[in-house]
Amino acid sequence: MFKRNPRSYLRIIAEFFYPRGGWYRASQYVIHRIRRLPDPAHRISRGIAAGIFASFTPFFGLHFLTAAILSWIIRGNVLASLLATFVGNPLTFPLIAELSVNLGNAILGQSSNIHLPEIVSQFAAATTEFWSNIKSPFTGHVVDWSSLSEFFHRVFLPYLVGCIIPGIVAGTIGYALSNPVIHAYQRRRIKKLKERYEKRLKAGRDKGGEAAEKP
């Protein structure tokens, strides 16, 4: 048997920004999986709405968990919510992040506008400082939470507040568009399965009739 070579970290990062086969193929795969989920259309669409909303939150690395919890709360399909987090990807995150942070600043009455490079650098600095402080008892590093404090007030809190409105709007649109499409697909699929069953049943009866006519 042939063993698959494990992917390198560089390849994993590259495929995060550009999946194997391209974004179109990846999106088609997600749509195909969602359409074939064994659940009523309204539950699948609720899951999609939860997944889309979760993609607008600043909980990077926890979008799957956030989507699953939200989907469970609104009684949606959890797997659909996980698949719908595909909406949050390297192509959409720049728009989502800058829109959410600056909208949050406006809602909170903070006049500062923050652009994507600063948002990314603030996330990176906060992450580095967090892990450095966690490891400080073993490394002797001086604990300093100043970057995290600045990150919370300048980026995370505005992001968290600002993501609510566009997240709800995008989730509602996702529900409104997906529900009738999935419902129609499921009805058509049930009809085809029924026709296939009736055809097989008829073929079986015909064979039985032919066997009975033979002496």
Side-chain angles (χ1 to χ4, degrees):
M1 295 180 67
F2 296 98
K3 293 184 178 180
R4 297 180 62 182
N5 294 326
R7 295 183 300 170
S8 65
Y9 288 111
L10 183 61
R11 186 173 179 183
I12 292 173
I13 294 172
E15 289 184 1
F16 174 76
F17 288 97
Y18 191 81
R20 186 186 303 176
W23 284 107
Y24 176 78
R25 185 176 178 182
S27 64
Q28 290 298 109
Y29 171 77
V30 171
I31 292 171
H32 174 74
R33 288 294 304 273
I34 288 176
R35 288 190 308 182
R36 297 182 69 86
L37 290 173
D39 226 352
H42 67 276
R43 282 181 59 95
I44 297 174
S45 298
R46 288 178 190 173
I48 292 172
I52 293 175
F53 180 85
S55 299
F56 277 75
T57 65
F59 305 123
F60 294 103
L62 297 173
H63 281 170
F64 275 7
L65 180 60
T66 305
I69 292 173
L70 290 174
S71 182
W72 178 77
I73 291 173
I74 63 176
R75 297 184 179 181
N77 184 284
V78 173
L79 182 55
S81 72
L82 302 183
L83 292 170
T85 58
F86 176 80
V87 169
N89 58 69
L91 299 179
T92 59
F93 276 142
L95 176 63
I96 292 173
E98 193 158 332
L99 171 64
S100 298
V101 171
N102 290 316
L103 180 59
N105 276 323
I107 294 173
L108 294 171
Q110 301 174 174
S111 58
S112 60
N113 286 326
I114 303 177
H115 298 293
L116 184 64
E118 185 177 354
I119 294 173
V120 173
S121 65
Q122 289 272 358
F123 266 100
T127 302
T128 302
E129 185 176 86
F130 175 80
W131 287 114
S132 178
N133 290 339
I134 292 294
K135 294 184 293 184
S136 62
F138 309 100
T139 61
H141 175 77
V142 178
V143 176
D144 181 13
W145 298 102
S146 58
S147 294
L148 273 172
S149 178
E150 182 182 0
F151 164 75
F152 179 81
H153 291 96
R154 282 183 57 81
V155 176
F156 186 82
L157 183 59
Y159 200 144
L160 185 62
V161 173
C163 78
I164 296 175
I165 295 176
I168 290 176
V169 171
T172 302
I173 292 173
Y175 178 90
L177 293 178
S178 63
N179 190 47
V181 172
I182 295 172
H183 182 67
Y185 172 81
Q186 289 180 339
R187 288 185 62 182
R188 186 169 66 251
R189 189 162 181 261
I190 291 172
K191 183 179 178 181
K192 286 183 178 179
L193 291 173
K194 186 177 180 181
E195 290 174 352
R196 191 180 303 171
Y197 172 76
E198 290 176 350
K199 188 180 294 185
R200 289 180 178 177
L201 188 62
K202 183 180 179 182
R205 288 174 180 173
D206 292 340
K207 287 182 179 180
E210 291 176 359
E213 291 176 359
K214 291 181 179 181

